[in-house]
Amino acid sequence: MSKRSLNLWLLSPAVLGASLLASLPAVAEISATETGETELTTNNAITIASIEDVTADLPQQLAQVPVNPHAGGAFSQANSVVGKAYQEIPLADLDAPNANGNTLNQLNQYGREGQSRRQSQVTSVSQLSDVQPTDWAFQALQSLVERYGCIAGYPDGTFRGNRALTRFEFAAGVNACLERVNELINAATADLVTREDLAKMQRLMEEFAAELASIRGRVTVLEARTAELEANQFSTTTKLHGEVVFWPGDSFGDRARHNVAGGPFSRRNSDPTQTYLGYRVRLDFDTSFTGRDLLKTRLQVYDNPNLSDFDLTNSLMTRTPFDGTSNGVELDDLYYRFPAFNNRAQIFIGANSLDLDDTMEILTPFNSDGTGSISMFGQRNPAIFRGPEGAGVGANFAFGDRDRYRLNLSYLAGNASDATAGNGLFNGSNTASAQFVFEPTEKLGFAVEYARKYFTNGGVEVAGGTGSWIADRPFGDNATTSDNLGFQFNWRLANSFQLGGWFGATWANQQNNGSDSATILNWAVTLGFPDLLREGDTGALIVGMPPKVTSHDRPSLENSDTSLHIEAFYHFPFSEYISITPGGYFISNPGHNDRNATIFVGTLRTTFQF
């Protein structure tokens, strides 16, 4: 039998159906009954030779027969004959070629070819018009079609799921699905290791057996320690951070003997400050309920001399970042921060010590008390970032690519918990601020800030406790308002060098016992040298002018001279837990008065963090 004849023989499901009927009489009877075909018999046995005789003229016989799986007559009879012939073939003869060189085991391939001619592959079960979601086998059919792609439909777009299945059709369908599964397996395992790779891996495992055993032992120990830590952890929502600062220091130079606030005095006392050792301890409890919010609670205790005291330097320009004495352990921070507007904003609500440098950004890198500047003035622009603060609300908004545009707003009150007249959240000292930050690159940033401040009687610190005495209290202890404008920038020019600085202008107005006004200016230039000698260290140089009264309605209160603040320090970390910061700063013409001698303040700050 020729290959062409066999292909034509397998062209129609009717032929395949006849074969199944020949071997399964019961199925044949059902198929004939359901499809209207003539009843077939299975009594005659046909040899391989007779198959070739019968099928020699099969193409001519089939040429006049329409390709219809339900056709009867001669086509159905031919289908029956071939099916019976295949049924009688011994299994051992399936691989024996016929006269045309074809084996009967090639029937599967021919069957697939015939199947493709009469059915078209579908990619979605919705392409089969006679398949409905309510059909009991809908889910199974949908999976076979859309997941494995091994089910075909008839050219007219139907599946005909209720007709009888021939053995050939079953074999062709199962084979198509198995081939598809094999394709998926081969695609998934094409890049997996080979047997040679596994052999190499086995040799390596044998060579490093001791090391692997050691690693397994370490992993076991780590797992045990992790389990112990989890069982005894401080809290599932709160992390504890601590910082301890030892602050030894001294000042050198005569006390500032000439200033407007204290008046000139003739008593001379060269270098009255003694060497001291101050300290501060902080415990931060950082709590998060969602993973993106923060409840900040901080306890602290400190004791460090205020070098501006009259019996020491008598100059606000000599103050360190923290000074004074706490009344035992105190609550320093208590505020809550959470995201809003699809994480494009951060909202702050503070009950205690929510500060201006919390709600707004400091671009210059020396704001930290423990690792940054060793002077109060050198940390940040006092015109903007020092003033009434403590309780209130704030919001940070981010815009643009990489959040390069940011808007920060806040309203903070200095004595919000005091409900007496002239105090409280809105009637006491307060600061309303706005800041716009622009970072065109990751290494360059600019910021413009505005702050409106109100100071009640007896609580005036217009210059944030820095600068000259008259700059800090231009109208004495009388209630004062101020409008403050600031600008800052920082530019990392190289990996180990960055340039920054700020400028601040303050316009102050007296609100009680008069209506005088004054203008106060300050500026600074900062040079940073990160990773100067080793990774993690920082060298710094800060040069600036502390707040100075440049104009006053009472000209006698203006600062006629100019002080310069020159500071240098080097932050050196021994580890991630311990660091030291040797450094010092010079104050020329303290109090913006050239009759006062230069004062030098030095320290060897030591910081422990855990």
Side-chain angles (χ1 to χ4, degrees):
M1 182 175 59
S2 67
K3 180 177 180 180
R4 179 183 177 187
S5 300
L6 186 57
N7 282 335
L8 291 174
W9 171 54
L10 296 172
L11 183 63
S12 170
V15 178
L16 303 181
S19 300
L20 180 61
L21 295 176
S23 60
L24 298 175
V27 174
E29 182 178 355
I30 295 174
S31 176
T33 303
E34 290 182 351
T35 59
E37 297 179 5
T38 58
E39 186 171 340
L40 304 178
T41 62
T42 59
N43 296 327
N44 298 322
I46 303 178
T47 64
I48 294 177
S50 64
I51 291 177
E52 293 187 357
D53 294 339
V54 172
T55 58
D57 297 327
L58 188 58
Q60 290 80 6
Q61 297 174 20
L62 299 181
Q64 305 300 321
V65 179
V67 182
N68 186 335
H70 301 297
F75 192 88
S76 180
Q77 294 172 4
N79 195 5
S80 173
V81 171
V82 175
K84 287 185 290 184
Y86 187 82
Q87 181 186 24
E88 298 297 329
I89 297 173
L91 293 177
D93 295 333
L94 292 178
D95 290 322
N98 61 10
N100 296 316
N102 297 320
T103 67
L104 292 183
N105 272 332
Q106 292 172 316
L107 292 176
N108 186 41
Q109 175 184 352
Y110 301 155
R112 289 199 307 273
E113 293 177 359
Q115 185 83 351
S116 65
R117 288 190 181 96
R118 67 179 177 82
Q119 295 182 339
S120 57
Q121 181 64 49
V122 294
T123 58
S124 174
V125 72
S126 61
Q127 295 177 247
L128 302 172
S129 60
D130 59 343
V131 175
Q132 304 300 324
T134 55
D135 293 337
W136 66 272
F138 178 83
Q139 294 296 334
L141 184 61
Q142 184 181 45
S143 177
L144 289 172
V145 171
E146 299 180 2
R147 183 173 181 180
Y148 296 102
C150 60
I151 293 296
Y154 285 88
D156 61 356
T158 61
F159 181 67
R160 306 180 190 177
N162 292 323
R163 65 174 293 272
L165 177 68
T166 68
R167 182 175 290 181
F168 283 159
E169 289 175 319
F170 175 78
V174 170
N175 185 66
C177 284
L178 289 176
E179 286 187 346
R180 177 57 180 161
V181 170
N182 285 330
E183 290 176 4
L184 294 175
I185 293 175
N186 291 335
T189 60
D191 297 326
L192 296 183
V193 295
T194 63
R195 187 178 299 276
E196 290 76 9
D197 294 330
L198 293 175
K200 293 178 182 178
M201 183 70 69
Q202 181 66 31
R203 289 196 298 271
L204 289 173
M205 291 176 65
E206 293 173 355
E207 289 183 24
F208 293 96
E211 289 80 359
L212 291 173
S214 175
I215 292 174
R216 284 194 295 269
R218 293 178 184 178
V219 170
T220 301
V221 172
L222 289 175
E223 289 177 346
R225 293 182 61 184
T226 300
E228 181 180 359
L229 289 173
E230 290 178 348
N232 298 278
Q233 62 182 329
F234 174 74
S235 171
T236 58
T237 58
T238 302
K239 293 183 179 181
L240 172 64
H241 303 279
E243 181 186 72
V244 177
V245 178
F246 289 176
W247 197 294
D250 202 346
S251 69
F252 305 90
D254 291 347
R255 165 194 300 127
R257 298 183 296 118
H258 302 275
N259 61 74
V260 175
F265 58 94
S266 59
R267 186 179 65 182
R268 186 177 183 83
N269 189 343
S270 178
D271 189 15
T273 306
Q274 305 300 305
T275 301
Y276 62 88
L277 175 59
Y279 67 87
R280 186 184 68 187
V281 179
R282 282 179 166 176
L283 294 177
D284 291 315
F285 300 88
D286 294 340
T287 303
S288 180
F289 305 102
T290 66
R292 296 179 297 170
D293 60 343
L294 172 66
L295 175 62
K296 184 78 168 182
T297 307
R298 173 185 290 165
L299 302 177
Q300 74 172 10
V301 58
Y302 61 92
D303 190 359
N304 209 35
N306 187 337
L307 297 180
S308 68
D309 287 350
F310 179 80
D311 290 332
L312 298 178
T313 68
N314 193 35
S315 173
L316 293 172
M317 299 179 182
T318 62
R319 294 184 65 182
T320 54
F322 66 88
D323 50 29
T325 302
S326 64
N327 185 19
V329 178
E330 65 180 22
L331 179 64
D332 181 54
D333 272 349
L334 182 60
Y335 64 81
Y336 181 58
R337 184 192 72 206
F338 60 93
F341 303 108
N342 196 25
N343 294 323
R344 305 301 294 180
Q346 292 286 330
I347 308 299
F348 294 79
I349 301 176
N352 186 69
S353 198
L354 178 61
D355 298 330
L356 289 160
D357 60 318
D358 293 324
T359 60
M360 294 196 291
E361 298 181 49
I362 310 296
L363 300 185
T364 50
F366 308 129
N367 188 50
S368 171
D369 295 349
T371 60
S373 172
I374 57 175
S375 71
M376 180 176 286
F377 171 71
Q379 287 186 303
R380 53 188 180 267
N381 185 351
I384 297 295
F385 299 104
R386 298 193 185 278
E389 54 192 3
V393 296
N396 301 155
F397 301 91
F399 310 94
D401 181 38
R402 294 187 301 101
D403 296 339
R404 65 176 62 191
Y405 304 99
R406 299 187 292 277
L407 177 65
N408 304 318
L409 306 172
S410 68
Y411 174 84
L412 305 176
N415 47 5
S417 61
D418 188 347
T420 61
N423 293 293
L425 190 59
F426 300 106
N427 293 327
S429 297
N430 61 78
T431 302
S433 63
Q435 179 188 49
F436 179 74
V437 180
F438 172 53
E439 287 188 346
T441 70
E442 294 181 354
K443 298 183 178 181
L444 178 62
F446 302 93
V448 179
E449 303 103 2
Y450 169 78
R452 170 77 175 184
K453 304 177 183 179
Y454 172 69
F455 303 89
T456 58
N457 291 330
V460 180
E461 283 189 338
V462 174
T466 65
S468 66
W469 290 102
I470 193 65
D472 207 41
R473 295 196 297 268
F475 319 113
D477 288 331
N478 294 303
T480 302
T481 60
S482 67
D483 294 284
N484 304 268
L485 185 63
F487 168 80
Q488 61 172 321
F489 80 100
N490 197 67
W491 186 12
R492 186 153 187 167
L493 295 165
N495 290 336
S496 295
F497 176 66
Q498 51 188 326
L499 172 68
W502 70 75
F503 173 80
T506 299
W507 295 272
N509 295 278
Q510 185 176 350
Q511 299 297 313
N512 190 32
N513 299 322
S515 57
D516 291 341
S517 61
T519 301
I520 304 163
L521 303 178
N522 85 93
W523 59 267
V525 175
T526 63
L527 303 177
F529 305 92
D531 303 330
L532 181 62
L533 301 179
R534 52 168 287 181
E535 185 178 358
D537 69 350
T538 302
L541 178 65
I542 302 172
V543 179
M545 182 187 75
K548 172 185 176 179
V549 179
T550 58
S551 70
H552 199 292
D553 285 351
R554 299 183 184 185
S556 61
L557 298 180
E558 295 177 2
N559 295 136
S560 57
D561 302 312
T562 300
S563 299
L564 279 180
H565 175 103
I566 303 174
E567 175 180 349
F569 65 87
Y570 175 64
H571 174 67
F572 179 80
F574 288 103
S575 68
E576 61 177 315
Y577 306 111
I578 304 175
S579 64
I580 63 169
T581 309
Y585 48 96
F586 290 90
I587 307 297
S588 67
N589 305 324
H592 297 294
N593 192 323
D594 62 5
R595 291 182 294 173
N596 293 323
T598 298
I599 299 175
F600 172 77
V601 178
T603 186
L604 183 61
R605 179 181 60 197
T606 304
T607 305
F608 306 87
Q609 295 177 318
F610 56 91

